[in-house]
Amino acid sequence: MARTDDPSDRRAPTIKDVALLAEVGIKTVSRVLNDEPGVRPETRDRILKAVESLGYRRNEIASSIRRRDRRTASIGLIVEDLANPFASSVTRAIQDFAAARSHLVLVGSSDGDPARERTLVQEFGSRLVDGLIIVPSGADQSYLDYERAHGVPVVFVDRPGKRFKADTVVSENAGGTAEAVRHLAARGHERIAFLGDRQSVYTAAQRLAGFKSAMEALHGTADKRYIRTGLRDSRQAHDAAVEVFGLDPAPTALVCGNNLATIGAVHALQELGIRDRVACIAFDDIELADLLRPALTVIAQDTAALGAGAARLLFDRLDEPGAPFRRTTVPVRLVPRESGEIPASA
C-alpha cells in the first residue's frame, strides 16, 4: 500500500502493509518495531524505510497486549490543577524523567475533587498505563487496591494518600514554615499572621503545624486571632488578609502557606498601603517575586526534585514490584529578599 494524498483514502496503513512493502513477514516487522535482536541490518533498514514511506503508526495499546510484559510505555499523572505553577513545574519534571525512559505521560487535573480523581484513575486504567503518579485528594485512596491488584503501581507526590500505602515524595513543609517564623523573629517580630489552605489538605496542615510549633517555641503561643485557614483561592486570601490587618494591634509580619494565599495577600497589603511596612514570607516561589518592591522572600520548594523523585520511585517500583515502600522528603530553601527583612519597628 503506497501512501496517497487523496483525502478519500482514509484507511490507515497496517503492519501487514509494511510487511508487504518490505517483502518480509509480519513477525519480522514486529521485531524491528519492538527493537528486538535477530534481524539483519539490511532487512531492518528496509522495514524502517517502508514504515516512513507508508506513514505507519503502531497501536501502542494493541501492541502492549501482544507483548509479554503488557507494557504501554505510558504513565498517568493526576495533579490538582495543571494551571497552578507548582503543578506545572512538577509535571514538567516528571515528563522529562519519563521521556528519558521512552515513556509518555498522560496528565489530568482533579480540581481537588475525590470523585474526579477516581474517574481519572479509571480513565487512565482503561488506557492500560504502566503506572500512576497522583497528588491525592480526599480522605480515602483505598479504591487504588484495584489498580495494584491488576499490576499498576502507584506513587503519591506532594502529599501521602490515605488508607492506602504507597511510595511517596513530599516537601519539608513543617520545617519550611518554622524556618520562616525564626527568620522573622530574628528581626524582632512577635505578632506574626498565617494564611493557609484547608486543614484537610496534608501540606496545609503540615505548614500550619510548623508555624505553630515555632511560634510556641519562640513566644510561648501562636495567637489564634492572626491565623486564617481554609483559604482555597487568592480572593479568599485577600479578604482574610484585609480582616487580619484590620485588627488592633495588627500583625507586623505574615507567613503565606501557598502561592495562591501569597497572591491574595500581596494585593491586600498593597491596597491597604502597608506592603513596605509588613514583613512577608511566602511558601512557594511565584513568578516575578524578585521583581516586586519590596521583593518577596520565599520558602522555595524543589519542584524538579519532587517530580523526578516521584518518577524515579515509579520506575523503581515497575522494576521491583515487591520492594518495601519508600517515603522521600525533599528539603525546602529560604530565599531571603527584601520583604522578609523588614524589621518589626518599621
Side-chain angles (χ1 to χ4, degrees):
M1 171 186 171
R3 185 166 62 181
T4 174
D5 294 327
D6 183 354
S8 65
D9 186 355
R10 299 296 184 184
R11 186 172 77 86
T14 67
I15 193 170
K16 291 181 180 180
D17 298 320
V18 175
L20 284 171
L21 185 58
E23 299 180 338
V24 297
I26 292 175
K27 289 185 178 180
T28 304
V29 176
S30 181
R31 288 193 189 100
V32 171
L33 295 178
N34 289 319
D35 200 23
E36 296 176 0
V39 181
R40 289 182 297 180
E42 59 270 23
T43 303
R44 182 181 296 273
D45 289 343
R46 194 163 70 250
I47 291 171
L48 293 176
K49 287 179 181 178
V51 167
E52 183 178 359
S53 174
L54 293 170
Y56 171 75
R57 293 183 180 182
R58 65 189 299 182
N59 184 324
E60 292 291 350
I61 293 179
S63 177
S64 72
I65 293 173
R66 292 189 293 269
R67 287 170 52 184
R68 290 181 180 178
D69 62 8
R70 299 177 67 87
R71 297 279 181 87
T72 60
S74 65
I75 61 176
L77 169 62
I78 300 173
V79 297
E80 274 200 343
D81 181 4
L82 190 56
N84 186 299
F86 170 80
S88 59
S89 295
V90 171
T91 297
R92 179 54 190 263
I94 291 171
Q95 288 178 324
D96 288 346
F97 193 99
R101 304 293 185 94
S102 300
H103 274 62
L104 179 71
V105 181
L106 309 179
V107 188
S109 297
S110 70
D111 297 323
D113 180 356
R116 173 65 177 159
E117 172 188 300
R118 190 164 184 166
T119 297
L120 286 169
V121 167
Q122 292 171 345
E123 291 288 342
F124 289 151
S126 70
R127 286 161 175 76
L128 304 181
V129 295
D130 296 334
L132 293 164
I133 299 176
I134 302 174
V135 178
S137 302
D140 187 0
Q141 275 71 47
S142 63
Y143 69 91
L144 291 167
D145 285 332
Y146 178 88
E147 310 305 323
R148 178 173 288 162
H150 287 76
V152 180
V154 177
V155 171
F156 294 125
V157 64
D158 187 48
R159 63 194 72 154
K162 298 177 181 178
R163 300 184 64 185
F164 183 84
K165 191 171 183 180
D167 299 307
T168 305
V169 183
V170 297
S171 289
E172 181 51 73
N173 293 287
T177 47
E179 184 177 5
V181 169
R182 290 191 293 269
H183 187 84
L184 294 169
R187 284 143 186 82
H189 295 281
E190 295 184 6
R191 299 191 306 275
I192 304 174
F194 179 86
L195 302 181
D197 202 341
R198 297 152 290 159
Q199 291 304 286
S200 59
V201 177
Y202 170 84
T203 50
Q206 288 291 300
R207 292 169 193 176
L208 177 58
F211 173 85
K212 284 183 172 180
S213 66
M215 288 294 292
E216 290 165 0
L218 291 167
H219 304 301
T221 185
D223 196 327
K224 294 181 179 179
R225 294 178 301 164
Y226 301 141
I227 295 174
R228 297 291 185 276
T229 60
L231 311 175
R232 301 193 62 162
D233 55 40
S234 59
R235 182 74 247 176
Q236 291 181 355
H238 168 279
D239 295 345
V242 170
E243 180 183 359
V244 166
F245 284 94
L247 296 173
D248 186 16
T252 61
L254 171 64
V255 175
C256 297
N258 60 28
N259 51 17
L260 294 178
T262 302
I263 292 169
V266 168
H267 278 291
L269 296 177
Q270 189 71 34
E271 290 174 11
L272 294 170
I274 57 175
R275 207 172 105 60
D276 59 348
R277 302 200 304 273
V278 173
C280 182
I281 297 181
F283 206 110
D284 282 344
D285 214 344
I286 62 173
E287 190 174 0
L288 305 181
D290 57 330
L291 298 182
L292 295 172
R293 287 296 175 265
L296 193 62
T297 296
V298 300
I299 300 292
Q301 296 192 82
D302 191 341
T303 53
L306 283 168
R312 184 177 295 107
L313 285 177
L314 184 64
F315 283 104
D316 287 351
R317 180 62 55 187
L318 285 166
D319 293 337
E320 297 185 63
F325 293 118
R326 289 185 287 169
R327 180 184 177 116
T328 301
T329 300
V330 178
V332 296
R333 179 173 58 95
L334 188 142
V335 182
R337 297 183 184 128
E338 297 166 356
S339 73
E341 310 308 308
I342 298 173
S345 58

